[in-house]
PDB file of all heavy atoms in Angstrom:
ATOM      1  N   GLY V 273      15.468  -4.055  39.807  1.00 98.00           N
ATOM      2  CA  GLY V 273      15.516  -2.634  39.886  1.00 98.00           C
ATOM      3  C   GLY V 273      14.239  -2.020  39.909  1.00 98.00           C
ATOM      4  O   GLY V 273      13.840  -1.068  40.553  1.00 98.00           O
ATOM      5  N   SER V 274      13.439  -2.520  39.008  1.00 97.00           N
ATOM      6  CA  SER V 274      12.081  -2.026  38.753  1.00 97.00           C
ATOM      7  C   SER V 274      11.169  -2.086  40.137  1.00 97.00           C
ATOM      8  O   SER V 274      10.402  -1.196  40.383  1.00 97.00           O
ATOM      9  CB  SER V 274      11.367  -2.636  37.564  1.00 97.00           C
ATOM     10  OG  SER V 274      10.821  -3.857  37.859  1.00 97.00           O
ATOM     11  N   PHE V 275      11.348  -3.272  40.737  1.00 98.00           N
ATOM     12  CA  PHE V 275      10.582  -3.364  42.013  1.00 98.00           C
ATOM     13  C   PHE V 275      11.096  -2.405  43.066  1.00 98.00           C
ATOM     14  O   PHE V 275      10.214  -1.837  43.734  1.00 98.00           O
ATOM     15  CB  PHE V 275      10.736  -4.900  42.563  1.00 98.00           C
ATOM     16  CG  PHE V 275       9.846  -5.855  41.894  1.00 98.00           C
ATOM     17  CD1 PHE V 275      10.294  -6.977  41.210  1.00 98.00           C
ATOM     18  CD2 PHE V 275       8.385  -5.733  41.987  1.00 98.00           C
ATOM     19  CE1 PHE V 275       9.518  -7.899  40.667  1.00 98.00           C
ATOM     20  CE2 PHE V 275       7.626  -6.629  41.303  1.00 98.00           C
ATOM     21  CZ  PHE V 275       8.224  -7.720  40.728  1.00 98.00           C
ATOM     22  N   THR V 276      12.402  -2.285  43.141  1.00 98.00           N
ATOM     23  CA  THR V 276      12.932  -1.431  44.250  1.00 98.00           C
ATOM     24  C   THR V 276      12.351   0.067  44.153  1.00 98.00           C
ATOM     25  O   THR V 276      12.005   0.494  45.295  1.00 98.00           O
ATOM     26  CB  THR V 276      14.467  -1.409  44.227  1.00 98.00           C
ATOM     27  OG1 THR V 276      14.928  -2.703  44.648  1.00 98.00           O
ATOM     28  CG2 THR V 276      15.071  -0.372  45.118  1.00 98.00           C
ATOM     29  N   VAL V 277      12.251   0.498  43.005  1.00 97.00           N
ATOM     30  CA  VAL V 277      11.891   1.985  42.956  1.00 97.00           C
ATOM     31  C   VAL V 277      10.393   2.176  43.057  1.00 97.00           C
ATOM     32  O   VAL V 277       9.968   3.286  43.161  1.00 97.00           O
ATOM     33  CB  VAL V 277      12.349   2.514  41.583  1.00 97.00           C
ATOM     34  CG1 VAL V 277      13.961   2.379  41.310  1.00 97.00           C
ATOM     35  CG2 VAL V 277      11.646   2.024  40.431  1.00 97.00           C
ATOM     36  N   GLU V 278       9.636   1.118  43.204  1.00 97.00           N
ATOM     37  CA  GLU V 278       8.195   1.207  43.297  1.00 97.00           C
ATOM     38  C   GLU V 278       7.826   1.839  44.728  1.00 97.00           C
ATOM     39  O   GLU V 278       6.718   2.298  44.948  1.00 97.00           O
ATOM     40  CB  GLU V 278       7.518  -0.138  43.049  1.00 97.00           C
ATOM     41  CG  GLU V 278       7.336  -0.457  41.697  1.00 97.00           C
ATOM     42  CD  GLU V 278       6.539  -1.740  41.472  1.00 97.00           C
ATOM     43  OE1 GLU V 278       6.463  -2.506  42.446  1.00 97.00           O
ATOM     44  OE2 GLU V 278       6.095  -1.943  40.300  1.00 97.00           O
ATOM     45  N   ARG V 279       8.699   1.526  45.743  1.00 97.00           N
ATOM     46  CA  ARG V 279       8.332   2.066  47.079  1.00 97.00           C
ATOM     47  C   ARG V 279       9.754   2.698  47.670  1.00 97.00           C
ATOM     48  O   ARG V 279      10.760   2.626  47.086  1.00 97.00           O
ATOM     49  CB  ARG V 279       7.929   0.975  47.995  1.00 97.00           C
ATOM     50  CG  ARG V 279       6.582   0.314  47.458  1.00 97.00           C
ATOM     51  CD  ARG V 279       5.846  -0.143  48.777  1.00 97.00           C
ATOM     52  NE  ARG V 279       4.913  -1.221  48.290  1.00 97.00           N
ATOM     53  CZ  ARG V 279       4.671  -2.340  49.025  1.00 97.00           C
ATOM     54  NH1 ARG V 279       5.223  -2.412  50.266  1.00 97.00           N
ATOM     55  NH2 ARG V 279       3.908  -3.263  48.577  1.00 97.00           N
ATOM     56  N   PHE V 280       9.537   3.205  48.784  1.00 98.00           N
ATOM     57  CA  PHE V 280      10.727   3.839  49.452  1.00 98.00           C
ATOM     58  C   PHE V 280      11.696   2.759  49.928  1.00 98.00           C
ATOM     59  O   PHE V 280      11.291   1.724  50.420  1.00 98.00           O
ATOM     60  CB  PHE V 280      10.292   4.730  50.674  1.00 98.00           C
ATOM     61  CG  PHE V 280       9.907   6.095  50.231  1.00 98.00           C
ATOM     62  CD1 PHE V 280       8.529   6.399  50.010  1.00 98.00           C
ATOM     63  CD2 PHE V 280      10.629   7.098  49.856  1.00 98.00           C
ATOM     64  CE1 PHE V 280       8.013   7.583  49.751  1.00 98.00           C
ATOM     65  CE2 PHE V 280      10.340   8.369  49.554  1.00 98.00           C
ATOM     66  CZ  PHE V 280       8.923   8.610  49.344  1.00 98.00           C
ATOM     67  N   GLY V 281      13.020   3.071  49.846  1.00 97.00           N
ATOM     68  CA  GLY V 281      14.073   2.369  50.442  1.00 97.00           C
ATOM     69  C   GLY V 281      13.921   0.868  49.987  1.00 97.00           C
ATOM     70  O   GLY V 281      13.771   0.473  48.890  1.00 97.00           O
ATOM     71  N   THR V 282      13.893  -0.164  51.014  1.00 98.00           N
ATOM     72  CA  THR V 282      13.958  -1.486  50.701  1.00 98.00           C
ATOM     73  C   THR V 282      12.558  -2.133  50.862  1.00 98.00           C
ATOM     74  O   THR V 282      12.258  -3.301  50.948  1.00 98.00           O
ATOM     75  CB  THR V 282      14.857  -2.342  51.611  1.00 98.00           C
ATOM     76  OG1 THR V 282      14.469  -2.178  52.941  1.00 98.00           O
ATOM     77  CG2 THR V 282      16.347  -1.808  51.336  1.00 98.00           C
ATOM     78  N   GLU V 283      11.539  -1.217  50.994  1.00 98.00           N
ATOM     79  CA  GLU V 283      10.216  -1.652  51.373  1.00 98.00           C
ATOM     80  C   GLU V 283       9.691  -2.710  50.472  1.00 98.00           C
ATOM     81  O   GLU V 283       9.124  -3.749  50.735  1.00 98.00           O
ATOM     82  CB  GLU V 283       9.229  -0.450  51.467  1.00 98.00           C
ATOM     83  CG  GLU V 283       9.438   0.434  52.565  1.00 98.00           C
ATOM     84  CD  GLU V 283       8.615   1.673  52.488  1.00 98.00           C
ATOM     85  OE1 GLU V 283       7.706   1.816  51.644  1.00 98.00           O
ATOM     86  OE2 GLU V 283       8.874   2.681  53.254  1.00 98.00           O
ATOM     87  N   ARG V 284       9.841  -2.368  49.170  1.00 98.00           N
ATOM     88  CA  ARG V 284       9.268  -3.314  48.093  1.00 98.00           C
ATOM     89  C   ARG V 284      10.057  -4.679  48.120  1.00 98.00           C
ATOM     90  O   ARG V 284       9.438  -5.712  47.922  1.00 98.00           O
ATOM     91  CB  ARG V 284       9.365  -2.678  46.652  1.00 98.00           C
ATOM     92  CG  ARG V 284       8.722  -3.509  45.626  1.00 98.00           C
ATOM     93  CD  ARG V 284       7.163  -3.510  45.852  1.00 98.00           C
ATOM     94  NE  ARG V 284       6.471  -4.234  44.865  1.00 98.00           N
ATOM     95  CZ  ARG V 284       6.111  -5.415  44.985  1.00 98.00           C
ATOM     96  NH1 ARG V 284       6.254  -6.134  46.045  1.00 98.00           N
ATOM     97  NH2 ARG V 284       5.399  -6.023  43.982  1.00 98.00           N
ATOM     98  N   LEU V 285      11.351  -4.570  48.203  1.00 98.00           N
ATOM     99  CA  LEU V 285      12.170  -5.867  48.264  1.00 98.00           C
ATOM    100  C   LEU V 285      11.761  -6.695  49.539  1.00 98.00           C
ATOM    101  O   LEU V 285      11.764  -7.973  49.492  1.00 98.00           O
ATOM    102  CB  LEU V 285      13.740  -5.597  48.347  1.00 98.00           C
ATOM    103  CG  LEU V 285      14.295  -4.958  47.114  1.00 98.00           C
ATOM    104  CD1 LEU V 285      15.781  -4.823  47.203  1.00 98.00           C
ATOM    105  CD2 LEU V 285      14.038  -5.849  45.764  1.00 98.00           C
ATOM    106  N   GLN V 286      11.473  -6.122  50.514  1.00 98.00           N
ATOM    107  CA  GLN V 286      11.050  -6.764  51.750  1.00 98.00           C
ATOM    108  C   GLN V 286       9.755  -7.577  51.607  1.00 98.00           C
ATOM    109  O   GLN V 286       9.583  -8.633  52.237  1.00 98.00           O
ATOM    110  CB  GLN V 286      10.987  -5.884  53.042  1.00 98.00           C
ATOM    111  CG  GLN V 286      12.280  -5.285  53.577  1.00 98.00           C
ATOM    112  CD  GLN V 286      12.198  -4.506  54.660  1.00 98.00           C
ATOM    113  OE1 GLN V 286      11.420  -4.853  55.563  1.00 98.00           O
ATOM    114  NE2 GLN V 286      12.705  -3.361  54.754  1.00 98.00           N
ATOM    115  N   ALA V 287       8.928  -7.017  50.750  1.00 97.00           N
ATOM    116  CA  ALA V 287       7.567  -7.618  50.640  1.00 97.00           C
ATOM    117  C   ALA V 287       7.424  -8.466  49.422  1.00 97.00           C
ATOM    118  O   ALA V 287       6.386  -8.962  49.030  1.00 97.00           O
ATOM    119  CB  ALA V 287       6.584  -6.487  50.557  1.00 97.00           C
ATOM    120  N   LEU V 288       8.555  -8.736  48.765  1.00 98.00           N
ATOM    121  CA  LEU V 288       8.528  -9.356  47.416  1.00 98.00           C
ATOM    122  C   LEU V 288       8.458 -10.865  47.525  1.00 98.00           C
ATOM    123  O   LEU V 288       8.916 -11.460  48.503  1.00 98.00           O
ATOM    124  CB  LEU V 288       9.766  -8.846  46.605  1.00 98.00           C
ATOM    125  CG  LEU V 288       9.770  -9.058  45.188  1.00 98.00           C
ATOM    126  CD1 LEU V 288       8.629  -8.257  44.532  1.00 98.00           C
ATOM    127  CD2 LEU V 288      11.170  -8.492  44.593  1.00 98.00           C
ATOM    128  N   SER V 289       7.955 -11.496  46.444  1.00 98.00           N
ATOM    129  CA  SER V 289       8.041 -13.034  46.350  1.00 98.00           C
ATOM    130  C   SER V 289       8.771 -13.368  45.104  1.00 98.00           C
ATOM    131  O   SER V 289       8.741 -12.665  44.164  1.00 98.00           O
ATOM    132  CB  SER V 289       6.643 -13.603  46.444  1.00 98.00           C
ATOM    133  OG  SER V 289       5.915 -13.410  45.203  1.00 98.00           O
ATOM    134  N   ARG V 290       9.215 -14.521  45.055  1.00 97.00           N
ATOM    135  CA  ARG V 290       9.928 -15.039  43.730  1.00 97.00           C
ATOM    136  C   ARG V 290       8.846 -15.178  42.653  1.00 97.00           C
ATOM    137  O   ARG V 290       9.195 -14.952  41.523  1.00 97.00           O
ATOM    138  CB  ARG V 290      10.592 -16.400  44.046  1.00 97.00           C
ATOM    139  CG  ARG V 290      11.219 -17.024  42.797  1.00 97.00           C
ATOM    140  CD  ARG V 290      12.414 -16.213  42.319  1.00 97.00           C
ATOM    141  NE  ARG V 290      12.840 -16.602  41.087  1.00 97.00           N
ATOM    142  CZ  ARG V 290      13.950 -17.173  40.659  1.00 97.00           C
ATOM    143  NH1 ARG V 290      14.869 -17.579  41.690  1.00 97.00           N
ATOM    144  NH2 ARG V 290      14.275 -17.570  39.436  1.00 97.00           N
ATOM    145  N   GLU V 291       7.649 -15.512  43.222  1.00 98.00           N
ATOM    146  CA  GLU V 291       6.737 -15.610  42.155  1.00 98.00           C
ATOM    147  C   GLU V 291       6.308 -14.250  41.331  1.00 98.00           C
ATOM    148  O   GLU V 291       6.219 -14.248  40.180  1.00 98.00           O
ATOM    149  CB  GLU V 291       5.293 -16.143  42.669  1.00 98.00           C
ATOM    150  CG  GLU V 291       4.236 -16.623  41.722  1.00 98.00           C
ATOM    151  CD  GLU V 291       2.934 -16.906  42.337  1.00 98.00           C
ATOM    152  OE1 GLU V 291       2.881 -16.794  43.574  1.00 98.00           O
ATOM    153  OE2 GLU V 291       1.946 -17.134  41.481  1.00 98.00           O
ATOM    154  N   GLU V 292       6.348 -13.301  42.143  1.00 98.00           N
ATOM    155  CA  GLU V 292       6.101 -11.889  41.508  1.00 98.00           C
ATOM    156  C   GLU V 292       7.174 -11.495  40.661  1.00 98.00           C
ATOM    157  O   GLU V 292       7.034 -10.946  39.537  1.00 98.00           O
ATOM    158  CB  GLU V 292       6.046 -10.805  42.675  1.00 98.00           C
ATOM    159  CG  GLU V 292       4.844 -10.741  43.391  1.00 98.00           C
ATOM    160  CD  GLU V 292       4.882  -9.698  44.586  1.00 98.00           C
ATOM    161  OE1 GLU V 292       5.725  -9.819  45.462  1.00 98.00           O
ATOM    162  OE2 GLU V 292       4.164  -8.650  44.362  1.00 98.00           O
ATOM    163  N   ILE V 293       8.492 -11.995  41.041  1.00 98.00           N
ATOM    164  CA  ILE V 293       9.666 -11.675  40.167  1.00 98.00           C
ATOM    165  C   ILE V 293       9.453 -12.430  38.809  1.00 98.00           C
ATOM    166  O   ILE V 293       9.759 -11.884  37.839  1.00 98.00           O
ATOM    167  CB  ILE V 293      10.880 -12.104  40.981  1.00 98.00           C
ATOM    168  CG1 ILE V 293      11.097 -11.309  42.174  1.00 98.00           C
ATOM    169  CG2 ILE V 293      12.189 -12.088  39.942  1.00 98.00           C
ATOM    170  CD1 ILE V 293      12.268 -11.852  43.055  1.00 98.00           C
ATOM    171  N   ASP V 294       9.057 -13.733  38.855  1.00 98.00           N
ATOM    172  CA  ASP V 294       9.096 -14.448  37.631  1.00 98.00           C
ATOM    173  C   ASP V 294       7.880 -13.978  36.832  1.00 98.00           C
ATOM    174  O   ASP V 294       8.039 -13.996  35.532  1.00 98.00           O
ATOM    175  CB  ASP V 294       9.035 -16.027  37.904  1.00 98.00           C
ATOM    176  CG  ASP V 294      10.465 -16.428  38.459  1.00 98.00           C
ATOM    177  OD1 ASP V 294      11.403 -16.028  37.947  1.00 98.00           O
ATOM    178  OD2 ASP V 294      10.400 -17.334  39.374  1.00 98.00           O
ATOM    179  N   ASN V 295       6.939 -13.598  37.486  1.00 97.00           N
ATOM    180  CA  ASN V 295       5.717 -13.009  36.667  1.00 97.00           C
ATOM    181  C   ASN V 295       6.179 -11.805  35.974  1.00 97.00           C
ATOM    182  O   ASN V 295       5.897 -11.613  34.665  1.00 97.00           O
ATOM    183  CB  ASN V 295       4.569 -12.750  37.573  1.00 97.00           C
ATOM    184  CG  ASN V 295       3.928 -13.925  37.905  1.00 97.00           C
ATOM    185  OD1 ASN V 295       3.942 -14.980  37.411  1.00 97.00           O
ATOM    186  ND2 ASN V 295       3.014 -13.724  39.004  1.00 97.00           N
ATOM    187  N   ARG V 296       6.920 -10.990  36.511  1.00 97.00           N
ATOM    188  CA  ARG V 296       7.346  -9.677  35.932  1.00 97.00           C
ATOM    189  C   ARG V 296       8.427  -9.984  34.826  1.00 97.00           C
ATOM    190  O   ARG V 296       8.382  -9.364  33.710  1.00 97.00           O
ATOM    191  CB  ARG V 296       7.818  -8.613  36.879  1.00 97.00           C
ATOM    192  CG  ARG V 296       8.283  -7.376  36.182  1.00 97.00           C
ATOM    193  CD  ARG V 296       8.516  -6.219  37.264  1.00 97.00           C
ATOM    194  NE  ARG V 296       7.166  -5.774  37.966  1.00 97.00           N
ATOM    195  CZ  ARG V 296       7.167  -4.680  38.682  1.00 97.00           C
ATOM    196  NH1 ARG V 296       8.261  -4.065  38.919  1.00 97.00           N
ATOM    197  NH2 ARG V 296       5.975  -4.429  39.188  1.00 97.00           N
ATOM    198  N   PHE V 297       9.266 -10.984  35.062  1.00 98.00           N
ATOM    199  CA  PHE V 297      10.266 -11.383  34.109  1.00 98.00           C
ATOM    200  C   PHE V 297       9.530 -11.853  32.852  1.00 98.00           C
ATOM    201  O   PHE V 297       9.900 -11.491  31.644  1.00 98.00           O
ATOM    202  CB  PHE V 297      11.060 -12.587  34.619  1.00 98.00           C
ATOM    203  CG  PHE V 297      12.073 -13.156  33.596  1.00 98.00           C
ATOM    204  CD1 PHE V 297      13.424 -12.644  33.780  1.00 98.00           C
ATOM    205  CD2 PHE V 297      11.702 -14.076  32.714  1.00 98.00           C
ATOM    206  CE1 PHE V 297      14.318 -13.144  32.923  1.00 98.00           C
ATOM    207  CE2 PHE V 297      12.692 -14.601  31.879  1.00 98.00           C
ATOM    208  CZ  PHE V 297      13.939 -14.170  32.018  1.00 98.00           C
ATOM    209  N   ASN V 298       8.447 -12.624  32.952  1.00 97.00           N
ATOM    210  CA  ASN V 298       7.728 -13.154  31.755  1.00 97.00           C
ATOM    211  C   ASN V 298       6.965 -11.922  31.047  1.00 97.00           C
ATOM    212  O   ASN V 298       6.971 -11.976  29.915  1.00 97.00           O
ATOM    213  CB  ASN V 298       6.658 -14.231  32.228  1.00 97.00           C
ATOM    214  CG  ASN V 298       7.353 -15.475  32.569  1.00 97.00           C
ATOM    215  OD1 ASN V 298       8.487 -15.715  32.062  1.00 97.00           O
ATOM    216  ND2 ASN V 298       6.866 -16.257  33.486  1.00 97.00           N
ATOM    217  N   LEU V 299       6.437 -11.021  31.858  1.00 95.00           N
ATOM    218  CA  LEU V 299       5.695  -9.860  31.220  1.00 95.00           C
ATOM    219  C   LEU V 299       6.803  -8.983  30.511  1.00 95.00           C
ATOM    220  O   LEU V 299       6.515  -8.604  29.452  1.00 95.00           O
ATOM    221  CB  LEU V 299       5.106  -9.072  32.336  1.00 95.00           C
ATOM    222  CG  LEU V 299       4.395  -7.876  32.069  1.00 95.00           C
ATOM    223  CD1 LEU V 299       3.327  -8.055  30.898  1.00 95.00           C
ATOM    224  CD2 LEU V 299       3.667  -7.221  33.251  1.00 95.00           C
ATOM    225  N   PHE V 300       7.983  -8.858  31.081  1.00 96.00           N
ATOM    226  CA  PHE V 300       8.969  -8.062  30.456  1.00 96.00           C
ATOM    227  C   PHE V 300       9.319  -8.740  29.204  1.00 96.00           C
ATOM    228  O   PHE V 300       9.639  -7.889  28.172  1.00 96.00           O
ATOM    229  CB  PHE V 300      10.087  -7.978  31.533  1.00 96.00           C
ATOM    230  CG  PHE V 300      11.205  -6.992  31.116  1.00 96.00           C
ATOM    231  CD1 PHE V 300      10.759  -5.694  30.496  1.00 96.00           C
ATOM    232  CD2 PHE V 300      12.568  -7.039  31.572  1.00 96.00           C
ATOM    233  CE1 PHE V 300      11.844  -4.795  30.240  1.00 96.00           C
ATOM    234  CE2 PHE V 300      13.425  -6.019  31.305  1.00 96.00           C
ATOM    235  CZ  PHE V 300      13.036  -4.956  30.712  1.00 96.00           C
ATOM    236  N   ARG V 301       9.506 -10.049  29.153  1.00 96.00           N
ATOM    237  CA  ARG V 301       9.857 -10.574  27.874  1.00 96.00           C
ATOM    238  C   ARG V 301       8.793 -10.327  26.788  1.00 96.00           C
ATOM    239  O   ARG V 301       9.150  -9.962  25.733  1.00 96.00           O
ATOM    240  CB  ARG V 301       9.980 -12.157  28.053  1.00 96.00           C
ATOM    241  CG  ARG V 301      10.117 -12.947  26.831  1.00 96.00           C
ATOM    242  CD  ARG V 301       9.690 -14.403  26.949  1.00 96.00           C
ATOM    243  NE  ARG V 301      10.664 -15.197  27.713  1.00 96.00           N
ATOM    244  CZ  ARG V 301      11.532 -16.056  27.145  1.00 96.00           C
ATOM    245  NH1 ARG V 301      11.540 -16.126  25.899  1.00 96.00           N
ATOM    246  NH2 ARG V 301      12.384 -16.669  27.957  1.00 96.00           N
ATOM    247  N   GLU V 302       7.482 -10.352  27.156  1.00 94.00           N
ATOM    248  CA  GLU V 302       6.416 -10.039  26.359  1.00 94.00           C
ATOM    249  C   GLU V 302       6.490  -8.579  25.775  1.00 94.00           C
ATOM    250  O   GLU V 302       6.187  -8.426  24.617  1.00 94.00           O
ATOM    251  CB  GLU V 302       5.166 -10.126  27.157  1.00 94.00           C
ATOM    252  CG  GLU V 302       3.985 -10.941  26.456  1.00 94.00           C
ATOM    253  CD  GLU V 302       2.856 -10.999  27.416  1.00 94.00           C
ATOM    254  OE1 GLU V 302       2.858 -11.870  28.335  1.00 94.00           O
ATOM    255  OE2 GLU V 302       1.900 -10.053  27.308  1.00 94.00           O
ATOM    256  N   LEU V 303       6.938  -7.706  26.640  1.00 95.00           N
ATOM    257  CA  LEU V 303       6.967  -6.316  26.273  1.00 95.00           C
ATOM    258  C   LEU V 303       8.167  -6.010  25.381  1.00 95.00           C
ATOM    259  O   LEU V 303       8.296  -4.751  24.845  1.00 95.00           O
ATOM    260  CB  LEU V 303       7.058  -5.345  27.430  1.00 95.00           C
ATOM    261  CG  LEU V 303       5.960  -5.492  28.584  1.00 95.00           C
ATOM    262  CD1 LEU V 303       6.321  -4.428  29.608  1.00 95.00           C
ATOM    263  CD2 LEU V 303       4.650  -5.244  27.875  1.00 95.00           C
ATOM    264  N   THR V 304       9.065  -6.853  25.087  1.00 97.00           N
ATOM    265  CA  THR V 304      10.314  -6.625  24.477  1.00 97.00           C
ATOM    266  C   THR V 304      10.621  -7.530  23.290  1.00 97.00           C
ATOM    267  O   THR V 304      11.501  -7.154  22.611  1.00 97.00           O
ATOM    268  CB  THR V 304      11.464  -6.711  25.464  1.00 97.00           C
ATOM    269  OG1 THR V 304      11.453  -7.943  26.028  1.00 97.00           O
ATOM    270  CG2 THR V 304      11.423  -5.567  26.442  1.00 97.00           C
ATOM    271  N   HIS V 305       9.887  -8.657  23.208  1.00 97.00           N
ATOM    272  CA  HIS V 305      10.247  -9.697  22.233  1.00 97.00           C
ATOM    273  C   HIS V 305       9.235  -9.513  21.008  1.00 97.00           C
ATOM    274  O   HIS V 305       8.082  -9.395  21.255  1.00 97.00           O
ATOM    275  CB  HIS V 305      10.294 -11.059  22.871  1.00 97.00           C
ATOM    276  CG  HIS V 305      11.576 -11.302  23.606  1.00 97.00           C
ATOM    277  ND1 HIS V 305      12.105 -10.452  24.509  1.00 97.00           N
ATOM    278  CD2 HIS V 305      12.428 -12.306  23.575  1.00 97.00           C
ATOM    279  CE1 HIS V 305      13.196 -10.948  25.031  1.00 97.00           C
ATOM    280  NE2 HIS V 305      13.428 -12.096  24.424  1.00 97.00           N
TER     281      HIS V 305
END
Side-chain angles (χ1 to χ4, degrees):
Chain V
S274 77
F275 277 121
T276 290
V277 305
E278 284 184 341
R279 297 212 208 141
F280 280 98
T282 61
E283 287 171 13
R284 188 68 181 95
L285 291 181
Q286 290 183 46
L288 198 58
S289 73
R290 177 65 195 252
E291 193 189 354
E292 286 177 294
I293 293 168
D294 286 321
N295 286 345
R296 185 167 288 188
F297 179 95
N298 291 331
L299 180 53
F300 194 28
R301 173 200 287 257
E302 224 179 276
L303 302 184
T304 55
H305 280 49

